[in-house]
Amino acid sequence: MAGILKYLCNIDTPQVLVFGITGRQGKSRSRLMKGFGTRIAAGCTPGKGGQEVDGVPVYNTPAEAVQNHPEINSAVFFVPAGAIARAAFDAMDAGIKFLVLTADGVATQDSIKIKEKAAETGSMCLGPNTVGMLDTDGYLFGLIGGKASWAKKNYLPGRVGVISRSGGLSQLLASFHCRPFLPGPRPDGSFGPLWEENYPGLSAVLCVGGDPVPGITILDAARAFEADPRTEVVVVYAETGTTQENDLAKAIEDGEITKPVVVFLGGKFTQAGVAQSHAGAMIRNESETYTVKKRVLEKAGALVVDRPDSVFAATSGFLTR
Amino acid sequence: MPALPEYKTRILLESNGVPMVPAVFLDHVPEILPKPVVYLKAQIPGATSRAGRGLVRRASSQNEISTGLTELLAEQNCLGVLAAEAADIRREYYAACLLNFGGSGSLPGGVLVFSPEGGTGIEKRTGSLVKIPFSLLNPPSADEIEEKLPGVPNSGSLAEFLNKMINTFIRYKLTVLETNPIAVVEDGSHIVIDCRAEFEKHGVSKKDAHLFELPGNTVSDTTPLEKAVESINTDDPAGTGFFRATRDSVPEGAVAVATNLCGGGGKMLWEMATGGRTDIFTLNESDTSGGLSAFKSYRILRVILSQPEADVLVLTGSGMAFQNQYHLASAVWKALRESPSPLPSLLRFGGTDQEKAIQLMDEVSQNLPVEVRVFRPEIFPNAMIEQISSILSENRVHQEFKAPEGELLFETATPPARFIYHPEKNPGGTEPACVGECPTGFLMWKDGIIATNPEAKCIGCLACETASLLRDNGVLTIELDLPEEVE
């Protein structure tokens, strides 16, 4: 069974280049990724070419890495925000098609340039400001999952696809669908286990990031889950700011997305123009408000909940036994 | 977005060859005054519509210049006065560069907004505005801009001008760059009469930082506790450390909640649970996520606990953090036992090592001077808040904590900390538990003392101190500096 990247950017098996692999975070996260099953082909840190990190060869540039490892098709970046645009451009110029940009605090102009460059080269970028993505087919990118043993225990194969604008809620919505006997509020008002041992499970989780200009959007991710035969229900953590939810609603209305979509929509009390810890949640116009997003999503047929613990009962209601 | 006043924006434009009306910046009344006629313009960050507020004055004599300067310099938040020569203006234009965030199938980029009419009140004459989208990656040439300006006289020269303006916008990663008016002067050339810019702090490169710095005498609405968190972020930059105090007063009868919401998801869960409640008042927003150390979590928690109006502390993230929850719990325990004013606490742990975190808090909470209730991640904030009223204490608890004296073993720079050894608590001289608890191998037991491994790094997790206090009678303690604004 192919993972979600097959449907997102036509990658059957990710072969990953890790930017910043010689740094503390790059090193520890590479171990986590490998421990979960991700194939790391090489690392890249300017000036540190020729070294090895846990047996992974390090190159000065992505072009050099790809020349020596032509199987590389994806990359994850553990580099500071100020260096991310240059590194991403180099990766895209080297032909890498899927990039995960974890850095927080990337200048909006840089995010825009990365998106423009991706459109030119045909690459897709998850982030910036993303915790990453995880596929229960056996690979993950970024910070998601914690320890490898924890990730293997908490993210189990199944039928729910998760898309989120928050790193923490990506993990929560993904892993809670994999917990037997998860307690929660039921649609009839009672509280208790929502399922027994037969938890719904996860196909993949994609955190599109909390910035105002995301690379891969909620709609891009929803299209991939629509095509992914493992996924029966798409669960989204959405919030105010940007037009991602409005675009998703239109795609549902137009029949492009036909699978059931459950949305936990945050931001009911977010005021326009106020800075948020997710920079992308700032409301810039009426269409980006909670009220408008809820209206268009519900009109299109998505099930919108405003309590996080209501998501799971909603999901199970859509699953065929 | 932070705003850059006119005199600073001029520097950015001039560095890209954009012609400006001659002007001099004055932060005091000089002995030799500029020659009249000049326009005196108060330089106040973020100020708009200055003319209508008397912050721009025409001075046609030395006396008027002197008086105008004196009065404008006395205005609140005034950084100085720009004395600009009067220009012989034949025609005025307006231009601004903005960001286009894209969406709905369209790519993001920049937008050049142009109007053949300039001057005050342009925002009311939207009919004359022309919007020209452009790529930030491949910005348009002057020729390409000229094609979009049909009917504008001397459009070639104007397009060159606008091209330089776009280059300025991109070079400094601005979010707004506005020139209003652009004046056409007697020889047909274009000059900027007034301008302003907005920017993102994280978009400013180190080499350009001086261009965006403002003198320290501006009135800031940053609270002392917010400044404390800024200083913590400066000496321990890894991970997110965000704190914002509310500017509103606690309503009569409401419970004032100090919050540590760990991340954007936690913040949104809290807001959704409490936003419609009038009986719960959130004193602060906070975001401690993105792989920050427990040292930093502790220091920010101490800031959060320093809010004098607080009745209770709520800590909750999304419920599935990748930040190690045992390390976070160690920080919470340290903050509650060392703070002079700890708060009754509702704590929700979820994520890596959550069981260890819950076990730790269960073990130590009996010995804290405040009640602590610990929640599993399956219990969401909307359920936690139902317990707030039953955990409140009648009066704020106060305690005295004095760090035990001992031998300074070593210090770490980032995260900054002092490791203190208490040999009297290890009379047998055996390897203490804290060494084995160090997850990176930074601590070693060598020749009967605790040493450090130069090949390893301290990640500031507090696991050593926690183990030492629980299993070794406190043979090793850690001292972390706090900003002076904290309690």
Side-chain angles (χ1 to χ4, degrees), chain B residues 130-425:
Chain B
V130 179
K131 290 186 180 173
I132 305 171
F134 63 85
S135 161
L136 296 178
L137 200 59
N138 304 300
S141 65
D143 288 345
E144 288 166 329
I145 296 170
E146 189 181 2
E147 287 170 17
K148 308 272 173 64
L149 300 171
V152 178
N154 200 8
S155 60
S157 162
L158 178 63
E160 271 181 34
F161 175 100
L162 295 173
N163 170 259
K164 288 173 184 165
M165 189 173 157
I166 289 174
N167 291 341
T168 308
F169 179 69
I170 294 173
R171 175 178 162 187
Y172 295 107
K173 298 182 184 173
L174 303 173
T175 55
V176 174
L177 176 61
E178 190 176 40
T179 54
N180 184 30
I182 301 162
V184 182
V185 291
E186 192 179 7
D187 65 1
S189 65
H190 303 86
I191 57 171
V192 173
I193 301 295
D194 198 352
C195 55
R196 61 181 279 273
E198 292 179 17
F199 63 101
E200 294 168 313
K201 283 182 186 168
H202 51 263
V204 178
S205 69
K206 274 185 189 161
K207 72 178 170 51
D208 293 331
H210 63 286
L211 297 172
F212 291 82
E213 280 167 6
L214 297 176
N217 60 350
T218 51
V219 176
S220 162
D221 78 335
T222 306
T223 69
L225 292 180
E226 288 167 358
K227 278 187 190 149
V229 173
E230 280 177 13
S231 73
I232 291 168
N233 282 321
T234 302
D235 65 26
D236 188 0
T240 303
F242 174 80
F243 173 90
R244 187 175 189 282
T246 179
R247 269 46 176 178
D248 300 327
S249 306
V250 184
E252 184 81 28
V255 178
V257 183
T259 63
N260 188 356
L261 302 174
C262 299
K267 188 241 171 200
M268 201 54 91
L269 292 187
W270 177 252
E271 186 189 288
M272 293 293 281
T274 61
R277 305 266 302 235
T278 54
D279 57 336
I280 293 172
F281 182 76
T282 303
L283 278 176
N284 68 281
E285 288 178 37
S286 58
D287 182 346
T288 53
S289 60
L292 81 172
S293 66
F295 287 2
K296 186 163 168 178
S297 284
Y298 162 82
R299 298 168 82 201
I300 293 176
L301 271 160
R302 288 294 303 274
V303 172
I304 291 167
L305 291 170
S306 293
Q307 299 176 94
E309 313 90 336
D311 297 315
V312 63
L313 169 71
V314 171
L315 178 146
T316 175
S318 63
M320 193 61 184
F322 71 84
Q323 185 187 359
N324 188 295
Q325 298 294 282
Y326 179 63
H327 300 165
L328 175 61
S330 296
V332 175
W333 179 35
K334 186 174 174 69
L336 290 177
R337 70 174 187 266
E338 295 185 1
S339 165
S341 49
L343 287 164
S345 302
L346 303 174
L347 311 171
R348 175 173 177 253
F349 294 105
T352 308
D353 281 345
Q354 65 181 38
E355 303 305 332
K356 272 180 84 178
I358 293 168
Q359 195 183 340
L360 170 65
M361 290 313 301
D362 284 346
E363 190 175 346
V364 303
S365 57
Q366 298 302 321
N367 294 323
L368 289 169
V370 288
E371 187 177 349
V372 171
R373 293 184 197 166
V374 181
F375 298 84
R376 302 184 59 78
E378 291 84 1
I379 306 300
F380 282 79
N382 43 306
M384 289 170 72
I385 58 175
E386 300 308 327
Q387 298 203 21
I388 285 181
S389 59
S390 64
I391 200 176
L392 295 175
S393 57
E394 205 155 296
N395 296 304
R396 182 94 183 241
V397 170
H398 291 283
Q399 64 178 354
E400 272 192 35
F401 172 79
K402 192 171 179 309
E405 289 181 10
E407 295 172 9
L408 176 64
L409 269 182
F410 47 82
E411 294 181 74
T412 54
T414 312
R418 287 180 298 282
F419 289 68
I420 311 294
Y421 187 53
H422 307 277
E424 75 281 4
K425 296 188 174 177

